[in-house]
């Protein structure tokens, strides 16, 4: 499908034009139609331009979360043609300020609760009533000059060197993505789509624009409601749901995945981490009218790049070695390679992707080195060194080890140390680098382990007889968002080493997990 839409803003604006009286957003006690939401966006966009001297800001930060200001601010940044930079309101202010500086953020939109999240950056903070006041008189912002090649949004992922990596996604990237996923979801006026993901997580792009690109309603739960997803879905009469599989586990632990408990659901999508098939079966029984689909993809290829729709009858579901759902098939608009360690094609190797969803390269070009490759006419692989321009012909190396099983792609792990915790992509090296800076720490290792609740969590081990865990927690809390802080920090005389003299991470995992037994 080619929707004819050029920018991310177009996906909302077209629906607002077609369905002005349809409900667009439910968040907390607020209910906004497409027309009402559009008016609030125009009012804020006019204010942003005025504060910025009458010219569009190059980049706009957003520190609001699960509030009218969050979603109006998101759309207003797109309305003026700026690059949107979602920031974590719970991250240390120094981290948000550093990210804002790297991204060239000129002003930040916030709700009152997060007005101080980015010190040193011009911040506009509004509640819903103040946004309505801005919209009095129906102000209209001038047309924006954004093009398909301009950057729509910029997300930051954990970086192995200790510095977050900026991942810019162009309007062309995200439009190609939405052209694929929006019609597949079969949403429209009357459909009710969940908004489970934080705006700093690129899964939120699916939430927002599967809804707003089709005239459906985005229904945003409170964070506490995410811990009882079945109750929220049934009470809100949702038709469409997208979340990390961890929320399936929460529902199972609560005992709420009872047959027929979610009768209104028609479309259930899971991504960000592997979906255990046992949990999926319970979900399918609780949502008997719903299709279940698995999405996979790194931020660098715009939210997701593979899909697998589970058969209607669980008896027909595939069996995988690790008990999780397969990745399925790649989007037909993209190209995929599996390469072994020597760069030869294989059926079990690192997944590489290129095509219209592949991002144009990291914000810091130094991060591109080693993350891309090219293949010449003779089939020889050439890792990207940064000595030549990065082009559309280059393949992005996902770092994911993927295999083929019965014609389907299946996830087999990582070729590096990167981990995912409840959908958040984390480079242990970023945490380790901060730990090594602390007094008394000689070396550090961070691993993902299975916690007492059966979910993955971070655990850290440091060597150095004078290291004290309490100051280490405090130091990490000053620099990292909450999801990157290890649940446990253990002090050892020496970190275990394998036969090659490297840190034995498997041994550390065994040590931490044996403590639960």
């Amino acid at each position: 499908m080619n929707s004819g839409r050029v920018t991310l803003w177009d996906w909302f604006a077209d629906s607002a034009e077609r369905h002005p009286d349809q409900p667009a957003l439910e968040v907390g006690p607020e209910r906004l139609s497409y027309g009402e939401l559009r008016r609030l966006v125009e009012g804020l966009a006019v204010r942003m331009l005025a504060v910025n001297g009458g010219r569009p800001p190059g980049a706009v930060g957003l520190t609001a979360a699960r509030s009218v200001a969050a979603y109006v601010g998101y759309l207003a940044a797109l309305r003026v043609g700026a690059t949107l930079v979602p920031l974590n309101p719970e991250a240390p202010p120094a981290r948000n300020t550093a990210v804002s500086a790297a991204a060239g953020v000129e002003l930040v939109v916030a709700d009152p609760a997060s007005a101080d999240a980015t010190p040193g950056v011009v911040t506009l903070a509004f509640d819903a009533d103040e946004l309505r006041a801005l919209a009095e008189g129906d102000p209209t912002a001038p047309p924006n000059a954004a093009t398909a090649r301009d950057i729509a949004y910029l997300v930051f992922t954990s970086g192995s060197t200790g510095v977050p990596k900026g991942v810019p996604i162009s309007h062309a990237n995200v439009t190609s993505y939405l052209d694929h996923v929006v019609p597949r979801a079969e949403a429209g006026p009357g459909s009710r789509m969940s908004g489970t993901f934080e705006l700093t997580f690129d899964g939120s792009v699916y939430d927002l624009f599967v809804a707003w690109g089709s005239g459906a309603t985005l229904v945003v739960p409170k964070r506490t409601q995410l811990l009882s997803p079945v109750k929220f879905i049934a009470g809100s009469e949702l038709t469409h749901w997208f979340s990390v599989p961890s929320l399936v586990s929460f529902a199972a632990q609560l005992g709420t995945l009872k047959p027929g408990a979610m009768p209104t659901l028609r479309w259930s999508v899971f991504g960000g981490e592997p979906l255990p098939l046992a949990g999926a079966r319970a979900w399918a029984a609780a949502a008997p009218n719903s299709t279940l689909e698995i999405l996979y993809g790194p931020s660098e290829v715009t939210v997701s790049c593979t899909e697998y729709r589970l058969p209607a009858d669980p008896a027909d579901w595939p069996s995988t070695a690790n008990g999780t759902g397969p990745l399925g098939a790649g989007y037909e608009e993209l190209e995929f390679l599996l390469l072994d360690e020597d760069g030869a094609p294989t059926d079990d190797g690192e997944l590489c992707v290129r095509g219209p969803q592949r991002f144009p390269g990291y914000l810091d070009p130094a991060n591109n080195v080693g993350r891309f490759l090219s293949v010449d006419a003779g089939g020889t692989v050439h890792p990207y060194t940064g000595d030549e321009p990065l082009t559309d012909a280059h393949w992005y190396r996902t770092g994911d080890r993927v295999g083929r099983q019965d014609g389907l792609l299946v996830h087999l792990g990582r070729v590096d140390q990167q981990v995912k915790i409840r959908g958040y992509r984390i480079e242990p090296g970023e945490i380790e680098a901060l730990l090594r800076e602390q007094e008394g720490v000689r070396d550090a290792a961070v691993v993902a382990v299975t916690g007492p609740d059966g979910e993955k969590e971070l655990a850290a081990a440091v060597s150095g007889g004078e290291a004290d865990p309490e100051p280490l927690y405090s130091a990490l809390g000053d620099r990292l968002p909450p999801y990157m802080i290890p649940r446990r920090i253990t002090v050892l005389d020496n970190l275990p080493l394998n036969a090659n003299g490297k840190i034995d991470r498997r041994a550390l995992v065994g040590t931490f997990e044996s403590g639960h037994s």
Side-chain angles (χ1 to χ4, degrees), residues 354-427:
R354 71 178 179 184
Q357 289 179 213
R358 198 217 74 194
F359 77 134
Y362 291 105
L363 182 64
D364 180 354
N367 290 323
N368 293 332
V369 176
R371 298 311 309 157
F372 293 86
L373 57 83
S374 59
V375 183
D376 64 24
T380 301
V381 169
H382 301 277
Y384 183 71
T385 62
D387 293 333
E388 71 276 4
L390 186 64
T391 70
D392 291 344
H394 284 91
W395 300 80
Y396 173 68
R397 300 178 56 190
T398 67
D400 284 309
R401 182 179 158 225
V402 171
R404 290 191 177 93
Q405 176 182 311
D406 300 325
L408 300 174
L409 297 174
V410 293
H411 193 268
L412 302 174
R414 292 286 300 177
V415 299
D416 55 20
Q417 303 299 330
Q418 187 186 102
V419 299
K420 278 197 172 183
I421 304 294
R422 292 181 171 85
Y424 286 102
R425 195 170 93 182
I426 298 170
E427 293 281 3

Side-chain angles (χ1 to χ4, degrees), residues 88-434:
N88 187 343
E90 295 186 349
R95 185 182 178 92
N96 279 337
T97 300
V99 166
S100 297
V105 168
E106 295 181 62
L107 62 85
V108 170
V109 175
D111 48 31
S114 57
D116 298 326
T118 50
V121 184
V122 175
T123 299
L124 307 179
F126 301 101
D127 62 22
D129 288 338
E130 290 167 331
L131 288 169
R132 289 188 177 93
L134 291 181
E136 290 180 359
D138 293 332
T140 301
N144 73 63
T147 69
R149 296 189 68 85
D150 288 333
I151 303 304
Y153 65 86
L154 178 61
V155 293
F156 281 79
T157 67
S158 181
S160 59
T161 62
V163 178
K165 294 189 296 187
V167 180
I169 299 296
S170 72
H171 289 282
N173 293 149
V174 72
T175 291
S176 176
Y177 172 69
L178 293 174
D179 278 341
H180 183 95
V181 298
V182 169
R184 188 174 177 87
E186 298 181 349
S191 299
R192 294 171 61 78
M193 174 76 205
S194 65
T196 67
F197 290 102
E198 303 296 340
L199 298 180
T200 52
F201 191 85
D202 67 343
S204 63
V205 173
Y206 184 101
D207 289 347
L208 272 58
F209 291 97
V210 164
W212 293 339
S214 62
T217 307
L218 180 71
V219 185
V220 183
K222 298 177 182 177
R223 284 190 182 176
T224 54
Q225 291 175 309
L226 288 175
L227 300 179
S228 302
V230 175
K231 181 178 179 180
F232 175 74
I233 290 167
S236 302
E237 298 184 329
L238 295 187
T239 58
H240 290 65
W241 174 263
F242 181 32
S243 76
V244 292
S246 299
L247 294 187
V248 179
S249 300
F250 286 141
Q253 290 168 16
L254 290 172
T256 55
L257 285 179
K258 301 184 185 303
M262 300 179 288
T264 61
L265 268 190
R266 294 188 285 108
W267 187 250
S268 301
V269 182
F270 300 97
E273 58 191 5
L275 173 65
L277 289 174
R281 288 189 178 89
W283 187 276
N289 302 313
S290 179
T291 295
L292 270 67
E293 183 154 283
I294 299 167
L295 299 183
Y296 154 84
S299 299
E300 288 85 348
V301 291
T302 316
V303 188
S304 60
C305 60
T306 73
E307 60 202 2
Y308 180 71
R309 187 173 297 184
L310 287 159
D313 186 351
D316 297 328
W317 289 9
S319 175
T320 59
N322 59 8
T324 63
L327 305 183
Y331 294 178
E332 60 185 10
E333 301 87 352
L334 305 176
E335 297 179 82
F336 299 83
L337 272 180
L338 291 179
L339 299 176
D340 65 19
E341 293 180 354
D342 298 321
T346 180
D347 284 334
D348 178 350
E350 183 178 10
L351 180 66
C352 304
V353 185
R354 71 178 179 184
Q357 289 179 213
R358 198 217 74 194
F359 77 134
Y362 291 105
L363 182 64
D364 180 354
N367 290 323
N368 293 332
V369 176
R371 298 311 309 157
F372 293 86
L373 57 83
S374 59
V375 183
D376 64 24
T380 301
V381 169
H382 301 277
Y384 183 71
T385 62
D387 293 333
E388 71 276 4
L390 186 64
T391 70
D392 291 344
H394 284 91
W395 300 80
Y396 173 68
R397 300 178 56 190
T398 67
D400 284 309
R401 182 179 158 225
V402 171
R404 290 191 177 93
Q405 176 182 311
D406 300 325
L408 300 174
L409 297 174
V410 293
H411 193 268
L412 302 174
R414 292 286 300 177
V415 299
D416 55 20
Q417 303 299 330
Q418 187 186 102
V419 299
K420 278 197 172 183
I421 304 294
R422 292 181 171 85
Y424 286 102
R425 195 170 93 182
I426 298 170
E427 293 281 3
E430 182 174 357
I431 308 168
E432 292 166 358
L434 292 178

Side-chain angles (χ1 to χ4, degrees), residues 16-92:
E17 182 71 24
R18 292 189 182 122
H19 312 292
D21 298 322
Q22 288 291 324
L25 177 65
E26 295 183 9
V27 54
E30 299 287 347
R31 304 289 185 270
L32 296 173
S33 69
Y34 275 89
E36 290 167 335
L37 182 55
R38 173 71 185 261
R39 283 192 290 276
L40 297 188
V41 170
E42 293 289 346
L44 179 56
V46 168
R47 173 59 65 89
M48 291 164 61
L49 292 170
V51 169
N52 208 51
R55 64 176 181 80
V60 172
L62 182 66
T63 58
R66 302 185 185 275
S67 64
V68 171
Y71 300 97
V72 172
Y74 192 111
L75 289 168
L78 299 176
R79 175 67 180 87
V80 300
T83 295
L84 175 73
V85 185
L87 302 167
N88 187 343
E90 295 186 349

Side-chain angles (χ1 to χ4, degrees), residues 91-96 434 438 471-481 485:
R95 185 182 178 92
N96 279 337
L434 292 178
Q438 308 310 311
L472 298 181
Y473 283 118
S474 179
L476 294 181
D478 289 340
R479 304 274 292 278
L480 299 174
I485 298 175

